[in-house]
Amino acid sequence: MRAEDPRTARTRAKLGAALLEECAQRPLAEVSVAAVVRRAQVGRATFYLHYTDLEALAVDVCADVAREAVDALHAWRGTPDPEKPPPALVSFFERLAPLDGLYRELLSPGGGGPLGRVLHEDLRARSRAERSLAGAPEPDLVASAVAATFAAVLADWLHGLIEASTAQIVERVWRLLINLHRTPLP
């Protein structure tokens, strides 16, 4: 696989930062391409060379959040302590707050939406690979359950369907995921 051109990476980073700054002030639905390109100091044509629309840019930017979630869930090694979530998982949930509106727009209740699909794919692949490497039973089944559970709980919490503080949801998610991994399968 060829590495991304540094100019492309810089332009995408500028567009992503501009979008996040705009979304800190208003919902994605109220943000315009014109506002993003003005803030990023790039031309409108440049925007469309990289993205088809603002949602594509937002998913690209927020996909990094999804990947951080995947890393956070796999940050522990050895036997996990169900009472102590990994610090990376705690950090992930805490960093959602400033742009929770954007995440709600991209992650629908139940874990769907464009960001939900990315989160599910990344988490499922990582979970499956680690279960296979460890020789754990049913890597496909458990990986799907872990990915679907995490995406759905995260989305429902962001949408206010699960009442919990950040600390409470982190603890609950962690215990839930550990139990999914420990469930005896025939």
Side-chain angles (χ1 to χ4, degrees):
M1 187 165 96
R2 214 173 81 193
E4 185 177 39
D5 181 319
R7 293 170 297 177
T8 298
R10 279 192 303 274
T11 299
R12 287 180 178 222
K14 286 169 64 174
L15 289 167
L19 177 74
L20 292 178
E21 289 170 17
E22 288 292 322
C23 287
Q25 298 174 7
R26 66 188 60 79
L28 179 62
E30 295 176 15
V31 174
S32 68
V33 171
V36 170
V37 297
R38 186 172 35 257
R39 189 179 287 268
Q41 298 182 338
V42 300
R44 192 175 185 94
T46 300
F47 175 89
Y48 287 109
L49 281 174
H50 297 280
Y51 300 101
T52 57
D53 56 23
L54 284 174
E55 184 179 275
L57 169 59
V59 169
D60 189 40
V61 169
C62 292
D64 288 338
V65 173
R67 290 180 189 96
E68 288 173 17
V70 171
D71 290 342
L73 289 171
H74 292 90
W76 52 270
R77 289 289 173 246
T79 304
D81 179 353
E83 301 305 316
K84 187 170 166 71
L89 184 61
V90 175
S91 175
F92 164 73
F93 273 90
E94 289 172 345
R95 289 194 344 248
L96 290 175
L99 292 164
D100 62 354
L102 176 60
Y103 300 126
R104 278 193 301 274
E105 289 186 63
L106 299 173
L107 189 62
S108 59
L115 183 57
R117 287 187 291 276
V118 171
L119 180 59
H120 187 274
E121 289 171 12
D122 285 358
L123 185 53
R124 185 183 186 287
R126 179 80 174 264
S127 182
R128 187 195 184 294
E130 291 203 8
R131 285 190 69 79
S132 293
L133 185 64
E138 300 283 356
D140 291 320
L141 176 68
V142 174
S144 290
V146 165
T149 298
F150 184 77
V153 170
L154 174 62
D156 288 357
W157 177 69
L158 285 169
H159 284 277
L161 301 173
I162 298 172
E163 291 186 31
S165 68
T166 302
Q168 290 169 329
I169 198 68
V170 170
E171 290 173 8
R172 292 173 185 172
V173 164
W174 181 238
R175 283 193 303 264
L176 183 60
L177 294 174
I178 287 173
N179 286 326
L180 279 172
H181 278 284
R182 290 183 177 167
T183 303
L185 298 168

